[in-house]
């Protein structure tokens, strides 16, 4: 049986928080923030038959459930699977539950159980995985974006956040033709990892869908759309087909970024016109709340964490994990390592700040005895192992990211910004200095790691 969202939720039932009471749409964002683990709202007021789920990547435990591994192996396993050769998809007939659908005029996108993520959002919106392809063919591009319906069948589409989709749209607009697009909601979350991944140049002839199978360990099944020449995952919960209108723009946003600010603010974005909608019975609207420490931060960081781990290990560093801490809004990256020689951590941190993905403006190195996912451990290591004069490095005038409120715009494009970056070495002295390293050995109680309190309860 092909993996889908429902099979994933069933396999991870122990992690899932089920909410059986009816929930108002306008309360979904606030409740998702409080859940702090994968959550399924089983009844939505004014949306009978619909369910909403979120936080499938909230922490390493949830991510391990997606990849079928343990929390301490998430980045290592993901990095290894991303390095595998592409696995071609298999085209299948549409499942029986997709035999019927609704044409344009028979549905209203605003009737989906969508909601405002931030209190200042102008309209309710939903996050979709959208699929498009260049006019001359080639691999399909698969990306995440925000869709904001403003009419029954029309919505702004935040394509501006995806350089690949901007380039594809420009090709269609140069021909004066609408760009076919399919918007997918509710797949096995492994698809979401690939939708957040930039396929490297040597795999340019393949699309993200050709790489999903390696994350699942199975061949991905796709089906033909009804009204556009595209293929989508055959076991999705919802598929919305349509076209992006050429040359048409409309104000979009503001919406909260992963740094929890309304930046870069209102932007002029393309308009999507829906032509066909189909959904499974009792559909699950998989959403990505864009507020406090939700999937918005870890999901877009996870592929980069895996690639960074592989890169740093290939350079000879003893790195245990890489973590773009969600409470850093994807602007802070923590590397857990065992420094072997003096200066190694500083060299490693410089490499982290220089990585192609430009979000990181704060890089921190911590030692093996620090829980990389614990804010308490992180503050402890900063407070007890850092000499600011020796262990703090500043980089001025570096390339920044528009979600960074401290960045300074240098051109007309909101992406042309510079910022100041910093790195902190919070590791113990290196292995080459055993006496110095021993001085910073953490005090633990007798029997630590041998007994657990739960065994006595």
């Amino acid at each position: 049986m092909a993996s889908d969202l429902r099979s994933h939720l069933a396999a991870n039932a122990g992690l899932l928080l089920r909410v059986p009471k009816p929930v108002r749409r306008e309360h979904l964002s606030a409740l998702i923030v409080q859940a702090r683990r994968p959550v399924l709202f089983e009844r939505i007021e004014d949306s009978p038959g619909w369910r909403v789920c979120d936080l499938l990547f909230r922490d390493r435990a949830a991510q391990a459930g997606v990849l079928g591994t343990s929390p301490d192996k998430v980045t290592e396993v993901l990095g290894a699977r991303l390095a595998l050769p592409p696995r071609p998809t298999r085209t299948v007939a549409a499942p029986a539950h997709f035999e019927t659908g609704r044409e344009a005029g028979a549905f209203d996108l605003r009737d989906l159980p969508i909601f405002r993520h931030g209190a200042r959002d102008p309209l309710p919106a939903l996050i979709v995985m959208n699929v498009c392809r260049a006019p001359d063919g080639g691999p399909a591009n698969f990306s995440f974006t925000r869709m904001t319906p403003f009419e029954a069948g029309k919505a702004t589409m935040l394509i501006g956040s995806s350089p690949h989709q901007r380039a594809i749209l420009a090709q269609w607009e140069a021909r004066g033709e609408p760009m076919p697009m399919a918007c997918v909601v509710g797949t096995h979350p492994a698809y979401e990892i690939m939708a957040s991944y930039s396929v490297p140049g040597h795999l340019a002839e393949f699309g993200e869908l050709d790489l999903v199978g390696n994350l699942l360990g199975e061949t991905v099944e796709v089906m033909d759309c009804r009204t556009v020449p595209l293929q989508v995952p055959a076991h999705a919960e919802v598929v919305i087909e349509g076209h992006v209108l050429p040359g048409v723009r409309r104000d979009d946003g503001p919406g909260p970024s992963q740094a929890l600010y309304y930046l870069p603010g209102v932007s002029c974005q393309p308009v999507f016109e829906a032509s066909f909608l189909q959904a499974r019975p009792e559909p699950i609207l998989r959403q990505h709340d864009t507020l406090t420490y939700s999937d918005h931060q870890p999901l877009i960081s996870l592929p980069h964490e895996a690639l960074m781990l592989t890169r740093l290990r290939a350079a000879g560093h003893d790195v245990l994990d890489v973590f773009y801490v969600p409470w850093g809004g994807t602007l802070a990256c923590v590397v857990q390592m065992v420094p072997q020689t003096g200066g190694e951590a500083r060299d490693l941190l410089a490499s982290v700040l220089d990585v192609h993905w430009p979000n990181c403006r704060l890089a921190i190195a911590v030692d093996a005895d620090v829980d990389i996912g614990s804010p308490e451990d992180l503050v402890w290591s900063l407070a007890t192992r850092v000499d600011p004069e020796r262990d703090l490095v500043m980089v001025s005038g570096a390339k920044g990211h528009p979600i960074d409120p401290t960045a300074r715009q240098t051109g007309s494009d909101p992406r042309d910004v510079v910022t100041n970056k910093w790195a902190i070495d919070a590791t113990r002295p290196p292995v080459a200095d055993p006496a110095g390293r021993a001085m910073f050995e953490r005090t633990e109680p007798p029997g630590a790691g041998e007994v657990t309190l739960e065994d006595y309860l």
Side-chain angles (χ1 to χ4, degrees):
M1 178 179 177
S3 299
D4 60 7
L5 177 59
R6 300 182 187 208
S7 65
H8 170 75
L9 295 179
N12 292 273
L15 291 174
L16 185 65
L17 174 63
R18 292 182 175 271
V19 181
K21 292 184 178 180
V23 174
R24 293 165 58 183
R25 288 195 211 177
E26 58 265 34
H27 291 161
L28 279 168
S29 183
L31 295 173
I32 289 169
V33 166
Q34 297 173 50
R36 305 182 69 85
R37 71 190 224 208
V39 60
L40 176 66
F41 298 93
E42 298 180 321
R43 297 175 65 190
I44 311 299
E45 289 188 9
D46 301 324
S47 298
W50 284 89
R51 295 170 287 173
V52 173
C53 78
D54 202 347
L55 303 187
L56 304 185
F57 291 87
R58 175 63 173 77
D59 52 25
R60 284 288 192 251
Q63 295 163 20
V66 173
L67 294 170
T69 186
S70 58
D72 62 319
K73 296 293 185 182
V74 165
T75 48
E76 182 177 337
V77 167
L78 178 57
R81 293 182 188 175
L82 290 176
L84 294 172
R87 181 191 296 227
T89 60
R90 178 172 61 237
T91 302
V92 299
H97 55 254
F98 272 164
E99 287 182 356
T100 60
R102 287 176 281 172
E103 302 278 355
F107 61 85
D108 190 329
L109 295 175
R110 295 167 297 184
D111 288 340
L112 300 174
I114 60 179
F115 53 93
R116 290 188 303 147
H117 294 204
R120 288 183 284 156
D121 291 12
L123 292 169
L126 70 160
I127 307 300
V128 298
M129 289 188 292
N130 54 14
V131 184
C132 63
R133 179 181 282 114
D136 57 356
N141 182 267
F142 202 44
S143 184
F144 268 116
T145 194
R146 181 179 70 227
M147 172 195 282
T148 307
F150 60 87
E151 291 180 6
K154 290 184 178 180
T156 53
M157 190 72 74
L158 189 59
I159 293 177
S161 61
S162 169
H164 291 161
Q165 290 201 346
R166 289 199 307 270
I168 292 173
L169 176 60
Q171 295 178 45
W172 283 99
E173 291 190 320
R175 299 161 60 118
E177 299 178 16
M179 180 177 73
M181 176 171 281
C183 301
V184 180
V185 181
T187 61
H188 188 283
Y191 289 82
E192 303 178 17
I193 296 176
M194 294 312 305
S196 304
Y197 176 63
S198 295
V199 176
H202 71 282
L203 296 176
E205 62 183 289
F206 300 96
E208 289 90 345
L209 282 175
D210 296 306
L211 302 174
V212 174
N214 291 328
L215 304 188
L216 292 170
E218 64 184 41
T219 297
V220 165
E221 295 182 343
V222 295
M223 66 180 184
D224 294 328
C225 290
R226 300 285 189 89
T227 61
V228 292
L230 295 167
Q231 292 187 319
V232 294
H235 305 284
E237 293 288 325
V238 182
V239 178
I240 307 168
E241 303 174 15
H243 294 81
V244 176
L245 304 179
V248 179
R249 298 292 187 273
R250 182 183 173 94
D251 281 351
D252 177 88
S257 75
Q258 59 267 32
L260 306 184
Y261 295 103
Y262 275 96
L263 291 174
V266 177
S267 60
C268 224
Q269 295 295 332
V271 172
F272 171 81
E273 186 171 41
S275 56
F276 195 75
L277 184 149
Q278 49 192 340
R280 297 181 68 167
E282 298 186 351
I284 302 174
L285 193 77
R286 158 63 164 134
Q287 276 307 278
H288 303 75
D289 195 48
T290 54
L291 292 187
T292 311
Y293 321 142
S294 59
D295 280 357
H296 198 201
Q297 292 90 9
L299 179 54
I300 60 179
S301 302
L302 186 56
H304 301 283
E305 293 168 350
L307 296 174
M308 178 73 74
L309 179 70
T310 301
R311 173 185 173 187
L312 295 175
R313 285 183 173 177
H317 300 295
D318 186 1
V319 176
L320 305 177
D321 204 353
V322 177
F323 190 37
Y324 278 83
V325 291
W327 48 88
T330 71
L331 295 172
C333 181
V334 181
V335 179
Q336 185 187 44
M337 65 176 299
V338 180
Q340 302 298 311
T341 60
E344 180 187 1
R346 180 175 290 217
D347 287 347
L348 178 146
L349 291 169
S351 179
V352 172
L353 291 178
D354 189 46
V355 74
H356 175 68
W357 194 48
N359 282 30
C360 180
R361 64 183 301 265
L362 169 60
I364 305 173
V366 298
D367 220 297
D369 62 342
V370 171
D371 180 351
I372 196 170
S374 166
E376 297 159 338
D377 263 22
L378 182 60
V379 172
W380 172 78
S381 63
L382 292 173
T384 64
R385 292 179 174 174
V386 174
D387 177 347
E389 184 176 17
R390 179 193 64 210
D391 299 321
L392 178 64
V393 179
M394 300 285 293
V395 180
S396 301
K399 178 176 175 57
H401 194 279
I403 68 166
D404 177 2
T406 71
R408 303 177 302 282
Q409 191 165 333
T410 59
S412 57
D413 192 323
R415 293 174 290 274
D416 294 335
V417 296
V418 296
T419 191
N420 298 322
K421 298 184 177 182
W422 49 318
I424 304 174
D425 178 6
T427 61
R428 298 159 64 191
V431 172
D433 178 12
R437 191 166 178 80
M439 187 175 70
F440 284 87
E441 184 175 348
R442 184 171 183 155
T443 302
E444 298 284 0
E450 300 174 8
V451 296
T452 59
L453 182 59
E454 287 77 9
D455 293 338
Y456 293 88
L457 299 179

